[in-house]
Amino acid sequence: MQKAIALRYDYSSAPTVTAKGSGKIAEKIMAVAKENDVLLHQSPELVEMLSSLELGEEIPEALYLAVAEIIAFAHNLKKHQW
């Protein structure tokens, strides 16, 4: 079953979980992300680790590097968009 996690990062603290779900909810999360030009990144392993977090909870320190790489990639993409 499809799962999705949405993170928010405001550059002042660790990224937090803003939405999560599976099935139809995951599809809606991804649709809203696409509508708002938010990068979608597929990593089933990372989604599994993040899905145990509660809404509003910061990601654990053990996942900082993995999430930071995704954020840096997304930021770099935005800088190079025409």
Side-chain angles (χ1 to χ4, degrees):
M1 179 175 286
Q2 181 85 30
K3 289 185 178 182
I5 305 289
L7 298 176
R8 180 174 190 275
Y9 180 56
D10 62 8
Y11 299 93
S12 66
S13 60
T16 57
V17 176
T18 58
K20 68 178 192 171
S22 57
K24 295 279 186 198
I25 294 171
E27 291 173 16
K28 182 65 176 175
I29 291 168
M30 291 184 289
V32 169
K34 287 178 185 176
E35 289 168 9
N36 290 282
D37 295 321
V38 174
L39 174 74
L40 294 175
H41 177 78
Q42 294 186 15
S43 175
E45 298 84 9
L46 186 56
V47 168
E48 278 303 315
M49 289 184 262
L50 292 172
S51 65
S52 66
L53 301 177
E54 297 298 323
L55 293 177
E57 189 173 352
E58 291 184 352
I59 65 167
E61 193 172 328
L63 297 179
Y64 281 7
L65 182 59
V67 173
E69 288 176 351
I70 295 166
I71 291 170
F73 178 76
H75 188 267
N76 194 35
L77 277 180
K78 279 191 166 191
K79 280 179 25 178
H80 291 93
Q81 284 182 341
W82 304 105

